[in-house]
Amino acid sequence: MSIEVVMPQMGESITEGTVSKWLKKVGDRIEKDEPILEISTDKVDAEVPAPAAGTLLEIRYKEGETVAVGTVLATIGAEGEAVAEPPARDEILPEPEAPAILSAAPESAAEISQTATATAATKNSPDATEVVMPQMGESITEGTVSKWLKKVGDTVAKDEPLLEISTDKVDAEVPSPGAGKLLEIRVKEGQTVEVGSVLALVGAEGSAPAISAEHPPQPGAETVQTPSPEPAPARETSSVQATSGNGQKTLEDLRRTKSSPLVRKIAAEHGIDISQIPGSGISGRVTKKDILSYLRSGAALKPQDLLVKQPPATRLTEPQPATVQTAVPSVAVSAADRVEKMSLMRKKIADHMVLSKRTSAHVTSVYEIDMTNVVRFRERQKDNFYSRYGTKLTFMPFIFQAVSRALRKYPIVNAQVDGENIIFKGDINLGIAVALDWGLIVPVIKRADTLSLSGLALAANDLADRARQKKLLPDEVAGGTFTITNPGVFGGLFGTPIINQPQVAILCVGAIEKRPKVFTSPDGDDYIAIRHMAYFALTYDHRIIDGADGERFLAALKEYLETTEFSI
């Protein structure tokens, strides 16, 4: 009896999905839970596993077709059952390309370990277990090996960290899926590979690893003696016309268009047609690196790339200014200079900063705020707080609480821009910039307005500590709606930070220091007092936040910090 393969529910708000690629063809033998196709939604790309073992009898939808959740995509029959004839809709066979493994994002460090272990368990040779690049978040399709913690021949324990990887969201460690020796390293430090790629092999002492035909070693990989792999069997493919008679897009166009949600968002913000960008990802999909490179090249501004309908020849049009390509001047290097290649994190920070300056109209307003009220409360409570919670009470939780109240009062500062729409975010998720020895990362305190002063302190200290230990999870550096940076800890008075896209504002907190301040007594006499003062600089996106909105936000912040009777 045949079994139906249906379009799965990928989230409560998702009602449909697109068949992006078939990984099997009619007649193929399939194991239970083996991926048989890739689907793409507006939230995530994922693979659909086989609900049972058997033979793929029927494919009902072509690559590129969008269907509702619950729709039958294919049927699988019991072993030995006759293969059904193709349905009326022409069957599209998959290309002979090994797909990346895409899965739901793990929720915790333990689940990341379990994900890597479970994935490796399905790819084991008799003697070795494959260590694969794990899925670190729904929009992440690749990662870079930043550092190997073990070398070939080292003995490793199960779940012991083998290497560090870096993505555009977070740095993390990859644990060993089993105990044994590190038999082979397939990806060198600095190399970027797709999710699901084999990074290394771990096996019993003295065992020889088998080379996977599906995942051959990367160039330059460290290996021990291995048997030669048998050639992979040839697979049939079907040709696809460039366009159909009704002008529909080709499969390559559809795959590029079905890139990750992050890529599509960047494209929408810059008015870019993704199908015009050469993609380096799976099946020609456009990656974040591709679209950022496209933006930096200036190609997005070229007239031939703009889908503009030309006016009739009889009408006069104003001359268009020529696009100016600015060449980056070369840098002369002398013998006394030291040349150091940018780290992956530094390159990603650079890309993000340039993207932000190209996206938002930055403007900064600065307020001087009397922090004496906060300083006095903290001095009274810091020892008690440490004894109760085992962590320090800094000035930042007070600022987090004040920011949360001001954002509720002025929601435009907690908004985001989507084309011609303004999205007022329902949650207040505060990003806190944490300086690291090797760069900068912004973990997020989710729903900060629901936390008490002590809750904010505990959350912030925990995130900062784990950021420095490279223990953050992808979800903990995503979803921010407003960011706070604190160069005051280094002595800076104030700064004009760059907005953390897709947010529309960022607050810079300067050093809290004693300064003379002029006051007026009830009798009208002026006098000078020593107060604890600090400058607060708000950089905001002038596309949607007017100067008056920025000033009102800072005024609300000032009033809260100067007058509130705090409690832990």
Side-chain angles (χ1 to χ4, degrees):
M1 181 178 178
S2 63
I3 297 174
E4 296 178 338
V5 181
V6 300
M7 178 67 70
Q9 177 75 47
M10 301 299 295
E12 62 181 24
S13 63
I14 297 176
T15 60
E16 62 183 16
T18 300
V19 176
S20 52
K21 186 175 183 180
W22 283 99
L23 308 177
K24 300 290 182 180
K25 63 181 183 295
V26 169
D28 280 357
R29 170 68 187 175
I30 301 170
E31 299 300 325
K32 187 177 186 298
D33 296 328
E34 183 179 4
I36 57 175
L37 75 151
E38 292 178 1
I39 61 171
S40 180
T41 73
D42 59 354
K43 300 289 186 184
V44 66
D45 293 349
E47 291 177 341
V48 176
T55 300
L56 183 58
L57 302 178
E58 178 186 14
I59 290 177
R60 294 192 180 180
Y61 289 88
K62 299 178 185 178
E63 293 177 351
E65 288 194 277
T66 299
V67 296
V69 167
T71 302
V72 177
L73 304 173
T75 56
I76 296 174
E79 188 171 3
E81 188 173 344
V83 177
E85 291 295 323
R89 51 177 75 250
D90 295 330
E91 177 190 339
I92 299 296
L93 300 177
E95 296 178 8
E97 181 179 358
I101 296 178
L102 300 177
S103 60
E107 297 294 333
S108 66
E111 290 183 12
I112 291 174
S113 174
Q114 292 168 2
T115 299
T117 304
T119 304
T122 65
K123 300 172 177 289
N124 292 348
S125 71
D127 299 314
T129 298
E130 294 179 345
V131 181
V132 301
M133 179 67 71
Q135 177 77 35
M136 298 297 295
E138 67 176 25
S139 64
I140 297 176
T141 60
E142 62 185 14
T144 298
V145 175
S146 51
K147 184 178 181 181
W148 280 99
L149 307 176
K150 299 290 183 180
K151 62 181 183 295
V152 171
D154 282 355
T155 300
V156 295
K158 189 176 187 298
D159 296 328
E160 183 179 2
L162 286 177
L163 71 151
E164 294 178 358
I165 61 172
S166 182
T167 72
D168 59 357
K169 298 286 187 184
V170 69
D171 292 350
E173 294 176 339
V174 176
S176 174
K181 282 190 177 293
L182 182 56
L183 302 176
E184 179 182 343
I185 290 176
R186 291 193 176 181
V187 180
K188 297 198 297 187
E189 292 181 358
Q191 280 189 283
T192 299
V193 294
E194 300 285 347
V195 167
S197 299
V198 177
L199 306 173
L201 294 179
V202 174
E205 187 171 1
S207 63
I211 297 181
S212 168
E214 183 182 0
H215 299 288
Q218 300 289 329
E222 299 181 41
T223 62
V224 296
Q225 287 188 342
T226 58
S228 300
E230 295 183 2
R235 298 179 62 185
E236 299 177 18
T237 60
S238 63
S239 60
V240 180
Q241 297 297 323
T243 55
S244 63
N246 58 6
Q248 290 181 336
K249 292 184 178 180
T250 66
L251 289 179
E252 285 300 310
D253 288 338
L254 286 168
R255 286 174 187 150
R256 284 198 291 266
T257 303
K258 288 296 179 184
S259 295
S260 70
L262 176 63
V263 171
R264 295 199 296 273
K265 182 174 180 60
I266 294 173
E269 288 175 349
H270 292 271
I272 297 172
D273 180 1
I274 294 180
S275 65
Q276 301 299 312
I277 305 176
S280 62
I282 296 296
S283 301
R285 294 182 184 179
V286 177
T287 66
K288 180 183 176 184
K289 181 179 178 181
D290 295 332
I291 195 167
L292 291 178
S293 298
Y294 185 77
L295 286 170
R296 287 197 300 272
S297 72
L301 303 177
K302 293 178 182 178
Q304 62 265 33
D305 288 335
L306 300 178
L307 304 179
V308 180
K309 184 178 181 180
Q310 296 296 324
T314 55
R315 296 183 59 185
L316 296 177
T317 59
E318 295 182 4
Q320 298 296 318
T323 300
V324 178
Q325 297 288 343
T326 303
V328 178
S330 60
V331 179
V333 180
S334 69
D337 298 336
R338 180 170 64 90
V339 179
E340 182 178 294
K341 189 174 181 62
M342 281 190 184
S343 66
L344 178 70
M345 175 177 279
R346 177 55 53 195
K347 288 189 288 185
K348 291 184 182 300
I349 290 172
D351 289 341
H352 196 62
M353 295 299 98
V354 172
L355 172 65
S356 182
K357 293 293 284 186
R358 291 173 61 101
T359 301
S360 297
H362 285 62
V363 66
T364 302
S365 296
V366 181
Y367 265 47
E368 187 180 36
I369 297 179
D370 189 339
M371 295 291 287
T372 306
N373 177 48
V374 173
V375 171
R376 290 174 176 170
F377 179 86
R378 176 179 172 272
E379 283 297 318
R380 293 194 303 268
Q381 297 291 333
K382 64 179 184 180
D383 292 339
N384 176 50
F385 186 87
Y386 188 83
S387 65
R388 287 176 61 185
Y389 298 105
T391 189
K392 292 181 179 180
L393 178 62
T394 68
F395 292 110
M396 295 311 294
F398 300 90
I399 296 168
F400 297 152
Q401 194 171 78
V403 165
S404 297
R405 302 298 192 276
L407 290 175
R408 279 291 176 225
K409 194 171 184 180
Y410 300 103
I412 187 64
V413 187
N414 196 52
Q416 293 178 3
V417 178
D418 182 20
E420 296 182 354
N421 299 322
I422 300 174
I423 301 173
F424 293 88
K425 304 302 290 184
D427 290 335
I428 292 176
N429 299 332
L430 298 183
I432 53 174
V434 177
L436 308 171
D437 292 340
W438 57 91
L440 180 77
I441 197 166
V442 186
V444 178
I445 302 176
K446 301 294 177 65
R447 301 183 64 193
D449 56 324
T450 66
L451 299 178
S452 65
L453 196 65
S454 58
L456 289 167
L458 292 170
N461 292 350
D462 172 62
L463 289 170
D465 289 344
R466 288 192 290 114
R468 298 184 182 100
Q469 299 167 15
K470 298 185 178 180
K471 300 294 185 182
L472 289 175
L473 304 178
D475 287 347
E476 292 173 326
V477 293
T481 61
F482 184 92
T483 296
I484 301 169
T485 182
N486 181 25
V489 296
F490 305 107
L493 292 180
F494 68 86
T496 57
I498 297 176
I499 295 168
N500 185 16
Q501 298 294 327
Q503 300 164 28
V504 293
I506 181 171
L507 181 70
C508 181
V509 180
I512 300 173
E513 58 183 15
K514 293 180 179 179
R515 289 199 284 268
K517 190 73 176 174
V518 176
F519 290 91
T520 303
S521 71
D523 297 330
D525 297 324
D526 291 339
Y527 64 95
I528 295 176
I530 304 299
R531 308 290 287 182
H532 295 268
M533 307 298 296
Y535 292 108
F536 285 65
L538 180 72
T539 296
Y540 48 97
D541 190 339
H542 218 354
R543 292 180 301 169
I544 65 168
I545 301 178
D546 296 329
D549 295 322
E551 297 288 327
R552 292 188 187 104
F553 175 86
L554 286 169
L557 203 64
K558 175 181 172 71
E559 180 183 11
Y560 190 88
L561 290 170
E562 292 182 349
T563 64
T564 298
E565 295 183 5
F566 294 100
S567 62
I568 294 179

